């Protein structure tokens, strides 16, 4: 009888030893399984999105119709150092131009002075015909107006190339102790160079409707001075004039103020006037007056 043979048990297959785990990124990348890239599916129609972009990263492009204006505005200097330098240059240029004008004006005035040698005309009172007897009397006679016929001598003999054009609207007044006795108008005329003109004008009226207002003390002083033959009077004139330098140059109209202190021997009839001196002033002050 044959022997029963039993198969030998199968031995387990040997497996390779498991290496220790490696946590490095290279090892994970090598062992990671490869995946096929997937394409995003298009959004469904009618979907809108809101994208937030920082303001400083927005690029603004002007439309074609405003591109020229945008270029001009962009070319303007900002309020930085360049603009300040431009303002300084403009201020310096304006100051230099103003100084240049002043220098040219001074040179012109100096040249005109050297060429024409202008001098101020002189004034004096030639004669006074006075009818002021009512001032010495009381009662109704004291209210009679004063009448004076004055002759003023204007001398322009010191000027060889300068004429004086006396304009209309001037005034001449005679006063005693600050009280105006009579007044009249200065006539308009032209006085040529090296010319002497005697201007005669009637003076009437005074204050308070043609009546001189004198106090009792002033009236007594006037009577004493008339008896002594020395009555001090003041002749004041305001005359608008225009100066002619040669035949081309003319100045604008300015007011000339003249004041003459005179002494007369009587207050009735033709009085002898003794001049004590006249002063002339101009407003504004001229460089030659």
């Amino acid at each position: 009888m044959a022997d029963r043979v039993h198969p030998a048990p199968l031995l387990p297959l040997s497996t390779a030893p498991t290496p220790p785990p490696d946590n490095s990124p290279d090892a994970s990348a090598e062992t990671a399984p490869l995946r096929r890239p997937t394409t995003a599916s298009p959004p469904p129609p009618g979907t809108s999105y809101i994208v937030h972009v920082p303001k400083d990263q927005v690029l603004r492009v002007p439309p074609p119709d405003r591109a020229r204006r945008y270029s001009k505005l962009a070319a303007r200097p900002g309020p930085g150092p360049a603009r300040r330098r431009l303002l300084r240059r403009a201020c310096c240029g304006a100051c230099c131009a103003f100084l240049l004008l002043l220098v040219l004006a001074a040179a012109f005035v100096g040249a005109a002075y050297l060429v024409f040698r202008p001098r101020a005309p002189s004034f004096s009172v030639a004669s006074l015909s006075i009818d002021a007897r009512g001032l010495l009397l009381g009662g109704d006679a004291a209210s009679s107006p004063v009448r004076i016929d004055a002759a003023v001598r204007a001398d322009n003999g010191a000027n060889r190339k300068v004429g004086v054009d006396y304009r209309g609207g001037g005034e001449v007044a005679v006063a005693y102790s600050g009280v105006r006795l009579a007044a009249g108008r200065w006539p308009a005329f032209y006085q040529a160079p090296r010319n002497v003109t005697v201007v005669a004008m009637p003076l009437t009226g005074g204050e308070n409707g043609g009546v001189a207002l004198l106090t009792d003390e002033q009236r007594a002083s006037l009577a004493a001075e008339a008896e002594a033959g020395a009555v001090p009077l003041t002749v004041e004139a305001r005359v608008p004039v225009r100066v002619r330098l040669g035949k081309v140059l003319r100045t604008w109209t300015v007011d000339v103020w003249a004041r003459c202190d005179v002494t007369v021997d009587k207050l009735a009839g033709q009085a002898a006037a003794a001049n004590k001196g006249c002063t002339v002033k101009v407003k504004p002050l001229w460089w030659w007056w």
Side-chain angles (χ1 to χ4, degrees):
M1 185 173 186
D3 295 331
R4 183 177 294 182
V5 179
H6 297 277
L10 295 178
L11 297 174
L13 296 177
S14 62
T15 59
T18 304
D22 191 359
N23 296 329
S24 61
D26 296 337
S28 61
E30 293 178 357
T31 57
L34 298 178
R35 295 182 181 180
R36 188 174 182 179
T38 59
T39 58
S41 59
T47 305
S48 60
Y49 298 91
I50 299 177
V51 180
H52 296 278
V53 181
K55 188 176 181 179
D56 56 349
Q57 297 182 6
V58 177
L59 299 179
R60 298 182 179 180
V61 179
D65 57 341
R66 297 188 180 181
R68 183 178 300 177
R69 183 179 179 184
Y70 174 77
S71 60
K72 290 184 178 180
L73 294 177
R76 289 184 178 180
R83 185 174 180 84
R84 289 195 293 269
R85 286 194 299 269
L86 184 61
L87 291 176
R88 284 197 297 267
R89 291 177 183 176
C91 293
C92 292
C95 293
C96 292
F98 181 71
L99 292 177
L100 180 61
L101 290 177
L102 288 181
V103 171
L104 292 178
F108 174 76
V109 170
Y113 178 80
L114 293 177
V115 171
F116 296 101
R117 296 288 181 176
R119 296 292 184 272
S122 59
F123 298 91
S124 61
V125 178
S127 63
L128 291 175
S129 178
I130 306 175
D131 183 7
R133 289 171 294 180
L135 296 177
L136 303 177
L137 303 175
D140 296 336
S143 62
S144 60
V146 179
R147 295 180 178 87
I148 300 175
D149 292 330
V152 180
R153 184 174 183 269
D155 188 357
N156 194 31
N159 291 312
R160 298 181 179 181
K161 300 180 181 180
V162 178
V164 181
D165 188 4
Y166 294 94
R167 317 293 290 180
E171 185 181 21
V172 179
V174 178
Y176 171 78
S177 297
V179 179
R180 178 176 291 191
L181 303 179
R185 292 293 180 181
W186 180 277
F189 66 96
Y190 172 71
Q191 189 175 22
R194 293 186 174 183
N195 178 266
V196 178
T197 304
V198 177
V199 183
M201 66 201 78
L203 310 179
T204 59
E207 298 177 357
N208 195 19
V211 179
L213 297 180
L214 294 178
T215 62
D216 295 338
E217 182 179 357
Q218 291 175 340
R219 199 180 304 276
S221 176
L222 179 63
E225 292 168 347
E227 186 178 356
V231 180
L233 299 177
T234 302
V235 180
E236 297 179 346
R238 182 191 61 83
V239 183
V241 302
R242 181 179 294 178
V243 179
R244 295 186 185 182
L245 303 175
K247 297 182 180 180
V248 180
L249 299 179
R250 296 185 182 182
T251 63
W252 57 86
T253 303
V254 295
D255 287 339
V256 176
W257 299 81
R259 177 188 174 94
C260 298
D261 295 329
V262 298
T263 301
V264 296
D265 57 349
K266 55 184 177 179
L267 296 177
Q270 188 69 28
N275 289 274
K276 294 184 177 180
C278 296
T279 58
V280 178
K281 295 183 179 180
V282 179
K283 296 181 180 181
L285 181 65
W286 279 87
W287 52 277
W288 62 276
W289 206 267

